[in-house]
Amino acid sequence: FAEGGTNVGPEAGPVRGKTDKFPAPDGLYAQALDMSTIEVGWNPVDGAEGYIVYRSESRFGTYDPIADITDTSHEDPNLDPNTTYYYKVAAYSGDNSATAGPVVAKTKNLEGPSNLKAIGEDYTSIRVSWDFAPIADGYKVYRADSAAGPYVEVGDTTGNNILDPGLETGRT
């Protein structure tokens, strides 16, 4: 035994505490839920008291802590659409911690409607219809006499069609 009663010879058992490698979370993933939210998740780490989620806008940039949680997933809200974000997650217990990552996800971009159709209802009105766009909350419909504009708003709707009444007969 060394002075102080600690066995430091070849008979010494394993040293515990900060010298043990605390495991990093595995199964780390990030996925966009919509235009402004990314979910980050991972498998639980035995003995972890909590997890710190870090985010950066570049792979080798500064990672800022955005959450200190005990769950194994986190929804990161209020992000910019069509933007790439990088995440790391640190598991910790006392003074021990280990970090996994980075993983990357890109928030979704708003897609326009598809299968756009304009069909005359009668001599002075046209019904404009379309297939719903993913994650759209509503639609504003505009009309112009030429592709160059100027455009005027016909109306807005949460549906997938709108009637444009009061048009001049024979105009396209």
Side-chain angles (χ1 to χ4, degrees), residues 4-48:
T6 304
N7 187 350
V8 294
E11 311 79 37
V15 178
R16 299 274 182 214
K18 292 183 181 182
T19 58
D20 279 350
K21 177 145 177 66
F22 192 74
D26 64 3
L28 184 61
Y29 70 89
Q31 65 181 6
L33 299 179
D34 56 37
M35 290 181 0
S36 64
T37 307
I38 292 177
E39 177 187 54
V40 183
W42 55 92
N43 295 325
V45 173
D46 286 341

